[in-house]
Amino acid sequence: MAEQHRGRDGRRPSQRQRIPTLAAPAQGWLGAHARCLIEALGRMHRRWVASLLTVFVIGITLALPTGLYVLVKNLDTLSTSWQGTVQASLYLDDDVSVERGRTLARRLDARDTIDGAEYVSAEEGLETFREASGFGDALDALPSNPLPAVVVVTPDADMTRAAVGELVDTLRGETGVARAELDQAWLERLFAILSLIERAAWVIGLLLSAAVVFIVGNTIRLDIENRREEIEVMKLLGASDAFIRRPFLYSGVWYGLSGAVVALILLGGCFAALAGPLGTLTRSYDSALDLVGLDWSGGFALLATGIALGWCGCALTVNRRLADIEPR
């Protein structure tokens, strides 16, 4: 008797009906969201001039703080490479002979914390200055050589800035050293400027993120006002606020995503335009810098940020405006 209640597939009727019953709500939910997603894109296409202007403004707004962030990252890489070339100059007393100066250089070069030490006599220093400055005639008029002998010390590239400062303090106590100076003051100023730019990038990023939320919110507010009568009719027919809100939320997502794509394009164009002149500038300082833009993770983060800001700007506006619209 139990077999008579089974179909040809061996299942009871209740088992055959259970699968479509469970799948139907999921398919309906996905289909509704897919329709709203396409509908929002079609609405933007129908008003493509206004939509393009809005997307372009969002793209510029997102590109500014992102460009500052990438600039700081590139300059930080360059400053790290320059930090390894920082040198300390040990100016020797006038009574230190050439042999003593070379012995001091060899002894310092043997230290683990020093990559190299080179003795430069007073005559060699004067000749180098003569060739670099072009003041040969003026230097010939001097009664004597005003330059002291110098031992140029290159600290280990892996040393921190604090460790390099301690090393220079130690070298000041060496016998025959009149003065020791570290050519790092400009690097300290560079680090301070980079820290300021990084902090400014975060502040500007927060302010411009609020601007993106405002731009998207204002655009969606105008769209809601243009469809006010349609929304009133939908509420009369019993549509819920969530159903009415959904297409507008996807419009905000499209605006944010499109603006982020425009920001990526603008950043790529700016870096391509600046790469050549900046490379020429850095090579003049015996270094080189190849501009590196956003990596894949940074690009996806920018796209996600644009989507999130577009959704937030839309959600804040839609929730408030729909509450004010009631059918008459």
Side-chain angles (χ1 to χ4, degrees), residues 67-77 194-195 197-198 201:
L68 281 177
Y69 166 76
V70 175
L71 178 63
V72 170
K73 185 173 66 173
N74 282 274
L75 291 179
D76 186 63
T77 302
L194 290 179
S195 178
I197 295 176
E198 184 178 7

Side-chain angles (χ1 to χ4, degrees), residues 11-32:
R11 296 179 180 178
R12 299 177 184 273
S14 59
Q15 291 177 326
R16 292 197 303 269
Q17 296 172 0
R18 188 177 304 160
I19 295 177
T21 301
L22 294 176
Q27 293 176 354
W29 183 85
L30 291 175

Side-chain angles (χ1 to χ4, degrees), residues 184-321:
Q184 200 180 16
W186 64 272
L187 191 58
E188 295 290 344
R189 288 193 291 269
L190 176 61
F191 283 131
I193 293 173
L194 290 179
S195 178
L196 177 62
I197 295 176
E198 184 178 7
R199 186 67 58 85
W202 282 106
V203 174
I204 293 174
L206 292 176
L207 294 177
L208 293 182
S209 296
V212 171
V213 172
F214 175 79
I215 292 170
V216 174
N218 187 62
T219 303
I220 298 300
R221 181 183 63 82
L222 295 177
D223 193 11
I224 292 175
E225 290 299 324
N226 292 333
R227 302 178 60 190
R228 188 183 186 93
E229 294 181 358
E230 178 183 347
I231 293 173
E232 291 179 354
V233 172
M234 293 174 67
K235 286 194 172 185
L236 283 174
L237 295 177
S240 63
D241 286 347
F243 179 82
I244 301 173
R245 184 191 309 119
R246 190 180 301 157
F248 295 106
L249 291 177
Y250 279 117
S251 296
V253 169
W254 278 119
Y255 278 120
L257 178 60
S258 303
V261 172
V262 171
L264 289 175
I265 296 174
L266 292 176
L267 289 175
C270 291
F271 292 144
L274 295 176
L278 186 59
T280 303
L281 176 62
T282 55
R283 281 191 296 271
S284 66
Y285 286 94
D286 297 328
S287 184
L289 174 64
D290 294 327
L291 275 179
V292 179
L294 289 175
D295 53 11
W296 286 103
S297 60
F300 283 121
L302 179 59
L303 294 176
T305 301
I307 292 174
L309 292 176
W311 187 90
C312 289
C314 181
L316 292 175
T317 301
V318 171
N319 291 335
R320 186 177 66 254
R321 299 302 300 178

Side-chain angles (χ1 to χ4, degrees), residues 86-88 90 108 111-116 153-157 159-174 180 182 184:
V86 171
Q87 295 177 331
L90 308 181
L108 295 178
R111 294 188 179 184
D112 296 335
T113 57
I114 295 178
D115 280 346
V153 177
T154 303
D156 188 359
M159 295 180 64
T160 62
R161 285 179 286 171
V164 172
E166 294 177 359
L167 175 63
V168 174
D169 293 336
T170 303
L171 296 177
R172 287 193 179 97
E174 291 288 337
L182 181 63
Q184 200 180 16

Side-chain angles (χ1 to χ4, degrees), residues 47-60:
R47 299 185 298 108
W48 67 271
V49 176
S51 299
L52 184 62
L53 291 176
T54 302
V55 168
F56 192 71
V57 172
I58 295 174
I60 295 177

